[in-house]
């Protein structure tokens, strides 16, 4: 009797163990499958920032519109090639869609140009921290135009973002001024004063472009969200039209505002580094495609909350890349600002996750309970 009961119980126990093993294995596989898109997104974001910083950091570089135009051309070429290979798909070019999307593309040109100008005058850690302020502008823009809400925890994250930006600016200015002072106490010469004035002026220009970039980024995101609902664009549709329509705008502004003389071209693209610069520009254009793809891959494989958490965590390696590759000063203020910005991003991600859970609970249940259904 006992042996029979054991024989009857063993298949059930085996089935339960099998289900448990399959569930555990599936969870492990899910966790492992989320790792490649997260790593690829982080790598693409870091490489894009570092390469752009390298290109615009030349002592005589002044042709930002030409740089952005070349990147857009490379980006469109890569997207078209990938589409013909059958890896992705997006709608064919249509003039009506182009007319409807052109204002969004023009805003994107403003975002990219002001970002390159601010990156030209500011260090990568400061640039990364100040980009957090765009989140605040977007959040309150959604409150005004889309009826969004800002929770208490979200507001706390905004305060932390502002504090981190103030710390970063204070550290950046104080480091710049102290670096321009002479090492000895022999007195301050006219050259030292001029150099100090030049440093402060460069920082002021950088912060001005950073402010314009935050405003333009918020306007671009909010406008694109509204336009996507009316046009039904997918991610690849918006990317294709954004880059394609920005090419003529960037080319026109480059011919009007930038000096295309032989001497200026030689200063912007010196003969000794010309091939490296062109390769970096080509790589950055392809990296833009990589960021778009890895973003969609990350959201699809994990969740939007995980993606926002990855975006918050990504600020540390991006800031560290500036300190590692470009000699950005590692001071108590800069490290504190990066740490505060990192923590603010985590608090914001948690706040958005809690807000989504609360909104899902408040939504009315459309399912009819079984007890209330009529036979």
């Amino acid at each position: 009797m006992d042996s029979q009961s054991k024989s009857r119980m063993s298949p059930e126990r085996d089935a339960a163990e099998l289900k448990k093993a399959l569930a555990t294995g599936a969870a492990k596989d899910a966790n492992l499958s989320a790792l490649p898109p997260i790593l690829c997104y982080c790598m693409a974001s870091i490489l894009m920032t570092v390469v752009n910083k390298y290109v615009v950091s030349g002592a005589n570089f002044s042709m930002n519109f030409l740089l952005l135009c070349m990147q857009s051309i490379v980006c469109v070429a890569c997207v078209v090639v990938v589409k013909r290979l059958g890896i992705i798909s997006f709608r064919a070019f249509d003039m009506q869609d182009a007319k409807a999307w052109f204002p969004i593309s023009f805003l994107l040109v403003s975002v990219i140009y002001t970002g390159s100008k601010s990156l030209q005058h500011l260090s990568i850690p400061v640039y990364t921290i100040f980009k957090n302020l765009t989140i605040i502008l977007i959040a309150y823009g959604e409150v005004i135009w889309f009826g969004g809400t800002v929770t208490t925890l979200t507001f706390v994250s905004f305060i932390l973002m502002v504090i981190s930006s103030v710390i970063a600016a204070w550290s950046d200015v104080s480091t710049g001024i102290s670096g321009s002072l002479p090492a000895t106490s022999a007195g301050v010469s006219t050259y030292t004063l001029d150099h100090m004035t030049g440093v402060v002026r460069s920082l002021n220009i950088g912060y001005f472009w950073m402010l314009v970039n935050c405003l333009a980024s918020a306007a671009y995101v909010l406008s694109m969200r509204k336009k996507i609902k009316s046009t039904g664009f997918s991610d690849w549709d918006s990317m294709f039209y954004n880059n394609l329509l920005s090419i003529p705008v960037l080319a026109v502004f480059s011919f009007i505002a930038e000096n295309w003389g032989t001497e200026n071209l030689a200063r912007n693209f010196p003969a000794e580094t010309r091939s490296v610069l062109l390769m970096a520009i080509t790589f950055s254009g392809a990296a833009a495609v990589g960021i778009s793809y890895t973003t969609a891959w990350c959201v699809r494989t994990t969740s939007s909350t995980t993606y926002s958490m990855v975006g918050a965590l990504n600020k540390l390696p991006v800031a560290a890349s500036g300190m590692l590759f470009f000699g950005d000063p590692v001071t108590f203020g800069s490290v504190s600002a990066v740490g505060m910005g990192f923590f603010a991003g985590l608090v914001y991600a948690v706040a958005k996750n809690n807000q989504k859970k609360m909104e899902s609970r408040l939504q009315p249940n459309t399912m009819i309970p079984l007890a209330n259904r009529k036979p």
Side-chain angles (χ1 to χ4, degrees):
M1 185 71 177
D2 294 337
S3 62
Q4 292 178 354
S5 61
K6 288 180 180 179
S7 64
R8 286 195 302 268
M9 290 297 293
S10 58
E12 296 176 2
R13 187 180 297 109
D14 291 341
E17 293 294 331
L18 179 61
K19 290 180 180 179
K20 182 179 179 181
L22 289 174
T24 306
K28 290 180 180 178
D29 292 340
N31 291 331
L32 291 176
S33 64
L35 189 60
I38 291 175
L39 293 177
C40 290
Y41 166 75
C42 292
M43 288 297 297
S45 178
I46 293 171
L47 288 175
M48 182 74 173
T49 304
V50 171
V51 171
N52 280 341
K53 176 65 176 178
Y54 169 75
V55 174
V56 301
S57 293
N60 299 310
F61 191 83
S62 59
M63 304 190 72
N64 294 73
F65 284 119
L66 177 61
L67 164 66
L68 301 177
C69 184
M70 295 170 66
Q71 288 178 340
S72 296
I73 292 173
V74 173
C75 188
V76 171
C78 290
V79 171
V80 171
V81 169
V82 174
K83 179 184 179 181
R84 292 187 176 181
L85 293 175
I87 300 176
I88 63 173
S89 63
F90 51 87
R91 64 180 70 186
F93 179 80
D94 181 77
M95 186 57 68
Q96 295 300 323
D97 289 338
K99 291 180 180 178
W101 198 259
F102 182 78
I104 307 299
S105 182
F106 189 84
L107 280 174
L108 178 62
V109 171
S110 303
V111 172
I112 300 175
Y113 178 76
T114 55
S116 66
K117 293 295 291 184
S118 58
L119 198 59
Q120 190 171 358
H121 295 277
L122 299 177
S123 64
I124 290 180
V126 174
Y127 173 82
T128 304
I129 293 168
F130 269 84
K131 285 295 289 185
N132 275 343
L133 299 180
T134 305
I135 300 176
I136 303 176
L137 298 175
I138 294 173
Y140 283 102
E142 289 181 344
V143 171
I144 296 173
W145 287 302
F146 299 102
T149 57
V150 175
T151 63
T152 303
L153 190 59
T154 305
F155 184 73
V156 171
S157 70
F158 292 165
I159 294 176
L160 294 175
M161 291 177 189
V162 174
I163 293 175
S164 66
S165 301
V166 172
I167 296 175
W170 167 77
S171 175
D172 196 30
V173 173
S174 60
T175 302
I177 293 176
S178 61
S180 61
L181 292 176
T184 60
S185 58
V188 180
S189 63
T190 305
Y191 171 78
T192 302
L193 291 175
D194 291 340
H195 181 63
M196 187 187 305
T197 304
V199 169
V200 175
R201 185 185 299 112
S202 178
L203 290 175
N204 289 336
I205 294 173
Y207 290 127
F208 167 77
W209 285 116
M210 193 73 249
L211 174 62
V212 177
N213 178 257
C214 291
L215 294 173
S217 299
Y220 166 71
V221 172
L222 295 172
S223 301
M224 185 174 65
R225 176 182 172 183
K226 186 175 182 179
K227 186 63 68 174
I228 284 178
K229 291 183 179 180
S230 61
T231 58
F233 271 24
S234 66
D235 292 337
W236 290 112
D237 293 332
S238 59
M239 181 178 183
F240 172 69
Y241 274 90
N242 272 336
N243 287 277
L244 182 63
L245 296 178
S246 65
I247 292 174
V249 176
L250 291 168
V252 169
F253 275 101
S254 178
F255 281 113
I256 293 176
E258 295 175 343
N259 183 7
W260 276 74
T262 306
E263 294 181 359
N264 190 55
L265 287 173
R267 283 195 298 268
N268 281 269
F269 301 95
E272 59 273 12
T273 60
R274 186 173 302 160
S275 59
V276 178
L277 285 175
L278 293 177
M279 288 177 59
I281 293 172
T282 304
F283 179 82
S284 62
V289 182
I291 289 177
S292 297
Y293 178 77
T294 53
T295 296
W297 187 16
C298 188
V299 173
R300 183 179 67 252
T301 308
T302 57
S303 65
S304 57
T305 303
T306 303
Y307 170 71
S308 61
M309 292 288 286
V310 172
L313 294 170
N314 199 34
K315 287 178 171 50
L316 279 180
V318 170
S321 66
M323 299 176 182
L324 180 63
F325 296 110
F326 297 98
D328 293 336
V330 182
T331 62
F332 176 77
S334 63
V335 174
S336 300
V338 172
M340 181 71 73
F342 166 76
F343 183 68
L346 288 180
V347 174
Y348 176 76
V350 173
K352 295 301 289 185
N353 185 29
N354 294 340
Q355 186 176 354
K356 288 181 179 179
K357 289 181 179 179
M358 184 63 67
E359 290 174 353
S360 63
R361 292 196 196 102
L362 295 177
Q363 288 179 354
N365 189 6
T366 57
M367 297 294 295
I368 302 175
L370 292 176
N372 296 334
R373 292 183 181 177
K374 295 181 179 180

